[in-house]
Amino acid sequence: MGGTGWTYRTRWRGSIAASLEALKLDVLAAGDYQHSPTEDETPPATIEELMALLESEDDDGMLAGGTHSILDLYEISDPAALAADQRHRTYYHRLYPLAEHEVLELFASPRPTLADWERIEQLDEYRTLSPARWMGRCTVLYAADQPDQIVFWGSSGY
């Protein structure tokens, strides 16, 4: 099985970390990730239960293959570290917000709107900013010049 590209858009919750955590809880609750539980296994109800399950799986199980979702990202990293992390292959399971210059290059605006995102999404241009599996990117979308939504995208899983 190959990696899976994914994209999520959710409302802004005051910070990247709070928005990411809320989104992960929504994905977990909806079961919108890859996992084949055994007949006797109850799906995890919390991120902590999911992490325990991931850590308990053998090399042929969920840990090796991931969830093919935003749940595979565990840490938010500084976008300035991305190039070095890619050279040293230490980007695994990390989320890198777009740097200011990337937002400007992609959207031609420092405060992209939902309409800007939808235009870029149709062209699939944003995917080039997340070139490796097991990492993700994000950017805030604005309405009336205020943070309104946040988009997360990336690729994970085997």
Side-chain angles (χ1 to χ4, degrees):
M1 181 180 299
T4 302
W6 38 258
T7 304
Y8 302 91
R9 190 178 78 228
T10 190
R11 71 180 177 85
W12 177 251
R13 290 175 170 89
S15 71
I16 293 171
S19 300
L20 176 62
E21 194 61 29
L23 173 61
K24 288 170 85 171
L25 290 172
D26 290 347
V27 169
L28 184 67
D32 190 18
Y33 60 95
Q34 239 176 312
H35 174 53
S36 301
T38 63
E39 207 171 281
D40 300 334
E41 189 177 283
T42 303
T46 66
I47 298 295
E48 292 76 19
E49 287 178 16
L50 176 65
M51 295 306 295
L53 181 63
L54 287 168
E55 291 169 2
S56 70
E57 294 281 343
D58 61 26
D59 288 338
D60 295 327
M62 193 173 177
L63 180 61
T67 67
H68 296 251
S69 75
I70 192 83
L71 298 172
D72 289 326
L73 300 186
Y74 311 145
E75 180 181 339
I76 300 171
S77 292
D78 183 339
L82 179 57
D85 288 351
Q86 285 181 304
R87 275 194 308 278
H88 301 300
R89 300 184 59 83
T90 56
Y91 54 81
Y92 296 103
H93 302 286
R94 292 184 182 176
L95 174 69
Y96 296 88
L98 291 186
E100 288 179 29
H101 73 276
E102 291 174 308
V103 172
L104 282 170
E105 288 171 19
L106 190 59
F107 298 103
S109 168
R111 294 183 182 269
T113 64
L114 176 58
D116 293 329
W117 170 256
E118 288 173 340
R119 178 179 46 80
I120 295 301
E121 188 176 30
Q122 284 183 340
L123 301 173
D124 218 24
E125 291 178 20
Y126 66 101
R127 293 240 178 246
T128 62
L129 297 172
S130 184
R133 191 182 309 170
W134 296 108
M135 65 173 281
R137 303 299 306 267
C138 69
T139 195
V140 176
L141 302 178
Y142 294 80
D145 216 29
Q146 296 297 314
D148 183 54
Q149 298 181 50
I150 184 167
V151 179
F152 299 92
W153 69 92
S155 175
S156 63
Y158 289 126

